[in-house]
Amino acid sequence: IGGLGFDAAMVSGADDELKARIGWVAYFVAGVQHLTGRKIHATIEMGDSARSEPFTARTVLFANCGRLPGGVVLFPDAQLDDGWLDIASIDTRGGLIGWADLLRKVTLQGIGIRKDVLPYSTGSIEFRRARSVVVRTEEPEHVQVDGDLVGFATTIHVRVEKSGLVVRTA
């Protein structure tokens, strides 16, 4: 999983000593410090389409796997070997209430409930799928890949290669 915005700022803010002591929970601690960060204003181009769609989000994630550490299911449809890139634009409104609502949605989809039963929501996850994607941001954003900060960027090109990884067991 790679990402930009809140996700990458959280990775950037995670203390190395704390990561060594408590593992992935250190990212959660760092995430709390970035809950009120600014939103990303960007455009997204899916696949070979030249159509650019504007969006606003707290974070954008790119994945070919569905589970985060701790067993959290963020991408319920993602499969390692299907050749599709799963993309999630995540946004919140209303401060901590929005983040709590987002956590509720992630928890529910992890147990198989995908349709929101509440009429009003302050946290949203918009899923997309493509073989490749280009995201262009108005301002430089933190970028992370597999939990490592790779720097800042205003343009991100992401692609997945079907059968690019072969795992064999003895």
Side-chain angles (χ1 to χ4, degrees):
I1 297 176
L4 66 145
F6 168 80
D7 172 64
M10 176 181 63
V11 167
S12 171
D15 180 84
D16 289 334
E17 196 174 298
L18 194 58
K19 285 192 291 188
R21 283 200 335 251
I22 62 173
W24 64 268
V25 178
Y27 293 112
F28 177 79
V29 172
V32 170
Q33 299 168 351
H34 294 281
L35 289 179
T36 58
R38 65 182 170 78
K39 293 186 179 195
I40 298 169
H41 299 280
T43 60
I44 189 166
E45 297 170 22
M46 306 290 290
D48 295 330
S49 169
R51 195 177 99 229
S52 182
E53 179 184 325
F55 73 94
T56 301
R58 295 279 180 193
T59 194
V60 182
L61 298 169
F62 315 98
N64 68 338
C65 63
R67 289 188 183 274
L68 297 173
V72 175
V73 177
L74 188 56
F75 292 91
D77 296 328
Q79 295 179 27
L80 291 172
D81 59 356
D82 66 358
W84 286 101
L85 184 62
D86 290 87
I87 303 135
S89 303
I90 298 174
D91 201 8
T92 62
R93 295 183 311 279
L96 289 177
I97 292 170
W99 287 105
D101 189 31
L102 183 66
L103 179 61
R104 176 188 63 83
K105 285 179 186 231
V106 170
T107 302
L108 288 175
Q109 75 184 17
I111 60 171
I113 301 171
R114 309 259 315 259
K115 184 168 173 51
D116 204 337
V117 294
L118 296 179
Y120 180 75
S121 180
T122 56
S124 66
I125 307 173
E126 183 179 336
F127 293 106
R128 298 176 172 112
R129 297 186 101 196
R131 305 256 184 232
S132 64
V133 64
V134 178
V135 175
R136 290 183 173 83
T137 62
E138 291 179 359
E139 296 184 38
E141 298 291 340
H142 282 98
V143 178
Q144 68 87 15
V145 176
D146 198 24
D148 291 320
L149 186 68
V150 294
F152 288 87
T154 56
T155 303
I156 308 292
H157 296 263
V158 183
R159 66 181 172 83
V160 66
E161 183 177 330
K162 186 174 183 175
S163 302
L165 175 65
V166 177
V167 178
R168 300 183 201 283
T169 59

